[in-house]
Amino acid sequence: MMGIKNIQAYLFKPVSILPLAIFRIAFGFLLCFSQLRFIAKGWVDDCYINPSFHFTYQYFNWVHPFTSETMYLIVALCAISAFCIGLGLFYRFSTILFFISFTYLELIEKSWYLNHYYFVSLVAFLLIWLPANNKYAIDPLFKKGSRTNMVPRWTVDILKFQLVIVYFFGGIAKLKPDWLLHAQPLKIWLKARTDFPIIGSLFDADITAFLFSWSGTLYDLCIPFLLWTKRTRPIAYILVILFHILTYMLFNIGMFPWLMMAGSLIFITASEWKNLLQKLKININLTPSIPSPIKTKALIVPLILLYGVLQITIPLRHYFLSDNVLWSENGIRFAWHVMVMEKNGFTEFKIIDQNTKKKFTVYPSQHLTPIQEKQMSFQPDMIWQFAQYLEKKHNTDGSKKLAIYVNSKVSLNGRPSQTYIDSNINLLHLTSVNSIYDYIEELQP
Amino acid sequence: MKVNNTKNIFYIFFACFICITIFIACEQEGNSEFTSEVQLYKNAQLSNIYDNEIYPLTIEFTTETNVLVSLAKTYKGQPTAANLETLQLQWKSIQLIWKQLELYDLGDIANSFITFEINRWPTNPENIEEIIASDDVINADYIATKGSSSKGISGLEYLIFSNKNTAKTRRLDYIVAVSKNLELKANQLASIWADYAPSFTTALNNGIDGSQNQVINAMVTLIEEIIISKLGNALGDTNGGTIEVNRLEAYRSSFSKEIIATHLSALKKCYSGEFAQTPFRVGFDDFLTLIGSEAFSEKINTQFKDCENKLNAIPSSLKEEIENNPENVIALKDAMRELLILIKVDMANILGSTITFNDNDGD
């Protein structure tokens, strides 16, 4: 009982709203930019409109795109709601709208899965429940009495926890022989970037790849705790900036570094902000006030615990599903495997009409966009999904008895290409997507 | 106090790291223009591709299309069997040049869609016949307004190789007009390449816009096209295995095999950089050697040889072979697939290249 009381006392201790508000502002404006960038780069067409077939997520097969105009509207609404989050305007409505629209957009197409998109959905979900608009926002100007300087500690710590999960499991994901013992795929990537200013010529040496591999692992495993600890926080945040700027310059990693740099701001406390801003001759009022009473207090602790347990178990599930998650990809999504492999593949499908014995060869490029084709070539569940799609396409009236086989070759982290899925297995005999993982050929060294 | 000490240690360590890095980096830089050996090689490779392959080919293409126009005019003036044969031979010469250039459909050239104008196949005989049957005046200006499937190298093949009576006036007008349009497009292509060459040879970055990536992608695209369209369709890949020789490229001229042989030769030269007897012939094989993958480089060379052997094992035209011994053509397609896997999967993996023109938001 004492333990629960202590936990409650810890979680509900009033702390300054400032870090939460800064996080909200940074997150909102960054995601607004990200969604506008998505439109500007033509990705709405590439991702939602152009494909004639979508790789949906398991249990979310019912999620489909709308017309071109509607999809542009949804992405635009997503950007506007993110902007409103940044402003702290219609906050609750904006966070709900952003979470629903962003998550919907991500669920449409699996080949566009990115770890940081998942991170954004999680944070958006959390923000719905957090009073991040109670100060430094527009909402309190219209709603008297809602302004407060203090919020319960859990509202800040849950975001810190989310950041810890990303970094720590990102580090755990690197504890693999390829990464630590062979410095792969960094050997490949760095050798391709010897044009990098000043230090580029060092990338030719294998030792540099090892240095990057090991220091990257150490960084991921340690940085959340260094950020959480007051004494090491200044150095930790400098490291956050250096690390992410370097990864941004070296790799095609999009918005991820900026999200992590912005997200890590949650660790900086109000007093640290005050000290920093004072150096810039800016004074902020941190006068404590009593946080608004929370009616669902009794539910919060178990809900936080449930969320925490899910966040810890989901990234670990691949250990129960596969011996080598990089090769099988079974459980790799939602597990923070960020930039840990160089993987390329090739697939070609053979359709046999078992009644007429006619054979058809299908090349994925005839049906899929380049990103879809590339991602499917080394992800078994997508190969299975594509076979189901081909079955529907070639058997419109359901009268044919088809068999579909895949010829697939995959190269992982510089290894020679090798057969990926058993080419003798009729993919239509596999009634569930999970069955295909039983037919992945063993990875040869 | 402890915090300050830790901070100081960090700053000192960081400053030392930067200094050492700059020092080592400067020491290793032998060439002031390029930051690394890889960059130097990349520039040499891209210059080699342009100077020794693309540039001479574009010039040759303009010259030969000019000859084509003269021969077309001669044939129009004297529609004899001998003049038709001369014209057909010239068409074949042009195909042999174009099939090397076709590989380099990238950057500004791809954006201009000029390759469609030069050679879009299959051609549309119905459209061509409709134009011939109409009352419109057929000349170069008129042909310029028509769709790419009614003109270009493929359209000309239909006009001079199909068993129609070529000696009719309007058909002769069409032949001259298409030839002139081809000459115009050849000049435009040379001009686009001349403008684009400086960007092409200096885009050394590793991203999707980098020229080396674009060349790899162009190689992949061409090999896929050979497998899917130039062999697979005719072998019945899409219809349940029924042979369809009229889905071969240039089946009317029975020139399909030569086209694939030329593609293969162009791909091999592109891989090895062996375009001309210049001293510094950098190709992808040199890159693989540079990063310690000589054995893999040799594997690709062996696969090129295998493809050539499979092609040489086809004694007659591709059209005849598909009809009589499709297994030989299937063997060629299989060999091409192995080549595709080596380049698209293995080479891209080793070089860390971005295969397929896609761009997304990270990992």
Side-chain angles (χ1 to χ4, degrees):
Chain A
M1 279 305 279
M2 274 304 286
I4 292 171
K5 277 190 176 173
N6 285 344
I7 291 171
Q8 278 199 335
Y10 174 86
L11 292 175
F12 289 93
K13 186 184 171 189
V15 294
S16 170
I17 194 175
L18 186 63
L20 189 58
I22 288 175
F23 183 91
R24 185 205 79 228
I25 294 165
F27 180 82
F29 291 142
L30 197 60
L31 263 298
C32 174
F33 171 76
S34 173
Q35 292 309 90
L36 293 177
R37 177 172 171 266
F38 200 90
I39 295 172
K41 283 194 168 253
W43 291 345
V44 177
D45 283 341
D46 291 350
C47 181
Y48 309 121
I49 314 300
N50 294 341
S52 51
F53 159 73
H54 284 283
F55 290 99
T56 49
Y57 288 86
Q58 199 174 7
Y59 313 120
F60 290 93
N61 298 336
W62 46 274
V63 178
H64 296 293
F66 295 101
T67 60
S68 172
E69 294 79 10
T70 314
M71 293 315 295
Y72 271 97
L73 188 69
I74 292 171
V75 181
L77 275 177
C78 191
I80 293 166
S81 56
F83 189 71
C84 289
I85 293 172
L87 292 175
L89 177 65
F90 310 126
Y91 174 77
R92 190 56 48 88
F93 176 74
S94 301
T95 47
I96 292 170
L97 181 63
F98 179 78
F99 168 68
I100 292 173
S101 58
F102 192 89
T103 308
Y104 160 72
L105 291 168
E106 297 325 307
L107 286 175
I108 292 173
E109 182 53 59
K110 194 159 47 177
S111 65
W112 282 65
Y113 168 82
L114 291 174
N115 288 293
H116 76 257
Y117 288 164
Y118 171 50
F119 172 73
V120 168
S121 275
L122 290 174
V123 170
F125 172 75
L126 291 174
L127 282 177
I128 294 172
W129 314 102
L130 306 182
N133 63 328
N134 283 5
K135 206 178 174 189
Y136 310 108
I138 294 178
D139 282 342
L141 299 176
F142 300 105
K143 196 178 168 191
K144 283 185 180 173
S146 68
R147 182 190 291 245
T148 174
N149 277 340
M150 308 298 279
V151 288
R153 177 179 250 165
W154 72 265
T155 62
V156 176
D157 280 9
I158 191 119
L159 292 171
K160 288 184 185 174
F161 169 76
Q162 192 61 67
L163 264 293
V164 171
I165 290 289
V166 177
Y167 275 123
F168 189 69
F169 283 106
I172 298 275
K174 291 181 173 70
L175 299 176
K176 293 186 170 67
D178 273 12
W179 186 272
L180 296 174
L181 305 181
H182 305 289
Q184 287 289 27
L186 277 167
K187 258 188 208 172
I188 295 168
W189 292 342
L190 292 179
K191 283 185 182 182
R193 286 309 320 271
T194 50
D195 56 328
F196 193 76
I198 302 173
I199 56 171
S201 55
L202 299 173
F203 296 167
D204 265 338
D206 285 354
I207 187 77
T208 312
F210 276 100
L211 199 70
F212 271 61
S213 291
W214 281 78
S215 57
T217 312
L218 211 60
Y219 169 87
D220 279 348
L221 291 173
C222 299
I223 201 74
F225 306 106
L226 295 176
L227 282 167
W228 207 306
T229 309
K230 188 183 175 186
R231 199 161 64 91
T232 50
R233 195 172 299 129
I235 291 166
Y237 199 75
I238 291 170
L239 283 174
V240 166
I241 292 171
L242 289 175
F243 179 83
H244 288 297
I245 294 276
L246 187 67
T247 56
Y248 173 76
M249 292 170 78
L250 273 174
F251 310 118
N252 175 28
I253 199 170
M255 295 297 294
F256 182 75
W258 307 106
L259 262 175
M260 295 310 281
M261 282 189 279
S264 300
L265 292 172
I266 193 71
F267 290 96
I268 301 175
T269 62
S271 57
E272 286 165 342
W273 276 116
K274 193 175 182 181
N275 292 340
L276 269 171
L277 293 172
Q278 265 175 356
K279 285 179 186 168
L280 301 168
K281 310 278 183 219
I282 301 169
N283 281 312
I284 50 168
N285 175 22
L286 293 177
T287 317
S289 68
I290 297 159
S292 317
I294 298 160
K295 288 173 190 167
T296 52
K297 199 171 175 179
L299 265 179
I300 286 174
V301 176
L303 285 175
I304 289 174
L305 281 175
L306 177 67
Y307 185 81
V309 168
L310 284 173
Q311 284 304 307
I312 289 166
T313 49
I314 290 170
L316 294 175
R317 75 193 189 287
H318 68 81
Y319 286 109
F320 300 98
L321 297 170
S322 168
D323 293 336
N324 186 343
V325 68
L326 297 186
W327 182 242
S328 75
E329 306 242 354
N330 195 0
I332 201 166
R333 294 188 201 99
F334 318 116
W336 311 116
H337 278 62
V338 184
M339 300 290 283
V340 287
M341 61 177 168
E342 174 70 26
K343 206 172 179 187
N344 295 79
F346 161 87
T347 51
E348 181 187 274
F349 292 78
K350 189 77 75 190
I351 303 176
I352 300 175
D353 186 327
Q354 293 179 313
N355 293 328
T356 62
K357 302 296 172 203
K358 281 188 169 183
K359 288 181 187 172
F360 302 82
T361 306
V362 175
Y363 304 95
S365 61
Q366 295 167 318
H367 299 266
L368 303 176
T369 64
I371 287 184
Q372 286 182 312
E373 186 197 357
K374 181 178 177 172
Q375 294 298 321
M376 184 203 63
S377 68
F378 51 76
Q379 299 190 46
D381 57 339
M382 292 169 75
I383 290 173
W384 181 86
Q385 276 182 294
F386 187 61
Q388 305 301 311
Y389 164 75
L390 290 178
E391 204 261 339
K392 274 184 195 152
K393 208 168 170 63
H394 283 256
N395 195 11
T396 44
D397 59 358
S399 63
K400 291 175 186 164
K401 195 179 170 198
L402 301 180
I404 299 183
Y405 302 89
V406 64
N407 172 17
S408 56
K409 304 280 180 190
V410 170
S411 170
L412 173 67
N413 288 340
R415 291 178 183 84
S417 59
Q418 46 194 289
T419 301
Y420 191 46
I421 305 289
D422 181 353
S423 57
N424 296 313
I425 184 72
N426 176 0
L427 297 172
L428 299 183
H429 277 170
L430 308 177
T431 48
S432 110
V433 65
N434 294 324
S435 315
I436 196 168
Y437 295 108
D438 297 333
Y439 295 92
I440 298 174
E441 300 281 343
E442 204 171 314
L443 175 67
Q444 303 301 316
Chain B
M1 191 61 193
K2 269 186 176 177
V3 176
N4 283 339
N5 280 344
T6 318
K7 271 187 191 173
N8 289 340
I9 290 167
F10 173 76
Y11 291 138
I12 291 166
F13 171 78
F14 184 66
C16 289
F17 175 76
I18 294 290
C19 292
I20 292 167
T21 304
I22 292 171
F23 176 74
I24 297 171
C26 293
E27 280 288 293
Q28 290 193 354
E29 277 173 26
N31 188 304
S32 59
E33 196 180 346
F34 303 103
T35 56
S36 71
E37 199 175 7
V38 168
Q39 270 209 313
L40 177 70
Y41 265 66
K42 258 190 200 178
N43 181 258
Q45 181 195 23
L46 297 169
S47 300
N48 186 24
I49 289 174
Y50 182 73
D51 296 342
N52 299 318
E53 179 75 341
I54 293 169
Y55 176 71
L57 282 172
T58 53
I59 298 302
E60 206 183 343
F61 194 48
T62 54
T63 311
E64 292 301 321
T65 49
N66 182 267
V67 173
L68 180 81
V69 173
S70 301
L71 293 173
K73 283 177 180 169
T74 307
Y75 179 59
K76 188 186 170 188
Q78 292 174 299
T80 62
N83 283 342
L84 177 63
E85 198 181 327
T86 313
L87 188 61
Q88 288 173 336
L89 284 174
Q90 184 61 19
W91 179 89
K92 287 182 178 176
S93 304
I94 284 171
Q95 268 288 34
L96 293 180
I97 301 164
W98 173 246
K99 290 300 156 188
Q100 297 174 73
L101 267 175
E102 202 175 30
L103 166 62
Y104 301 100
D105 185 23
L106 42 83
D108 285 359
I109 288 77
N111 296 337
S112 72
F113 299 104
I114 195 166
T115 51
F116 282 108
E117 298 276 310
I118 293 171
N119 183 37
R120 181 170 182 177
W121 73 281
T123 202
N124 191 331
E126 288 78 25
N127 277 358
I128 294 175
E129 293 302 334
E130 226 169 78
I131 293 166
I132 292 171
S134 72
D135 297 329
D136 299 332
V137 176
I138 300 174
N139 56 30
D141 291 340
Y142 176 73
I143 286 298
T145 65
K146 294 292 152 192
S148 52
S149 60
S150 308
K151 57 191 178 189
I153 297 174
S154 194
L156 188 59
E157 186 210 16
Y158 170 75
L159 289 163
I160 63 176
F161 283 96
S162 58
N163 293 324
K164 306 259 177 190
N165 182 1
T166 51
K168 286 181 181 169
T169 311
R170 286 185 64 79
R171 197 168 286 272
L172 291 168
D173 288 343
Y174 207 120
I175 291 170
V176 174
V178 169
S179 303
K180 281 183 175 172
N181 185 262
L182 205 52
E183 185 191 23
L184 177 75
K185 294 297 164 191
N187 281 302
Q188 284 177 358
L189 178 73
S191 166
I192 298 170
W193 259 116
D195 292 342
Y196 177 56
S199 317
F200 173 73
T201 52
T202 53
L204 308 180
N205 52 315
N206 199 47
I208 53 166
D209 296 327
S211 293
Q212 197 188 50
N213 260 335
Q214 296 212 26
V215 173
I216 296 180
N217 277 289
M219 291 174 79
V220 167
T221 304
L222 183 60
I223 301 171
E224 283 181 337
E225 203 189 327
I226 294 170
I227 295 169
I228 299 171
S229 308
K230 303 194 179 194
L231 294 171
N233 286 344
L235 281 167
D237 279 355
T238 55
N239 65 11
T242 308
I243 300 291
E244 288 185 284
V245 286
N246 59 358
R247 294 188 76 182
L248 281 171
E249 184 181 18
Y251 72 92
R252 292 184 179 91
S253 54
S254 297
F255 209 55
S256 317
K257 191 174 86 174
E258 288 75 5
I259 283 175
I260 291 174
T262 310
H263 279 322
L264 195 56
S265 157
L267 284 162
K268 193 178 173 186
K269 282 190 286 176
C270 182
Y271 173 71
S272 64
E274 304 279 334
F275 302 114
Q277 295 302 312
T278 49
F280 197 38
R281 285 167 281 175
V282 180
F284 286 106
D285 55 346
D286 298 291
F287 271 92
L288 292 169
T289 304
L290 190 69
I291 60 170
S293 297
E294 295 96 327
F296 173 68
S297 171
E298 201 41 51
K299 210 172 165 182
I300 292 189
N301 279 325
T302 308
Q303 193 55 42
F304 268 116
K305 280 194 192 103
D306 187 41
C307 291
E308 286 167 349
N309 290 340
K310 296 289 187 320
L311 192 66
N312 293 335
I314 296 172
S316 50
S317 73
L318 206 54
K319 188 174 155 185
E320 286 168 7
E321 198 72 1
I322 280 191
E323 282 176 327
N324 303 321
N325 301 304
E327 61 280 6
N328 282 345
V329 184
I330 292 170
L332 171 64
K333 194 180 84 163
D334 291 344
M336 291 301 297
R337 188 197 300 114
E338 290 308 310
L339 181 66
L340 174 68
I341 292 167
L342 287 178
I343 292 175
K344 184 178 183 177
V345 182
D346 295 83
M347 190 167 94
N349 198 280
I350 290 171
L351 293 178
S353 308
T354 310
I355 283 294
T356 65
F357 290 109
N358 62 41
D359 186 15
N360 62 7
D361 215 4
D363 203 348

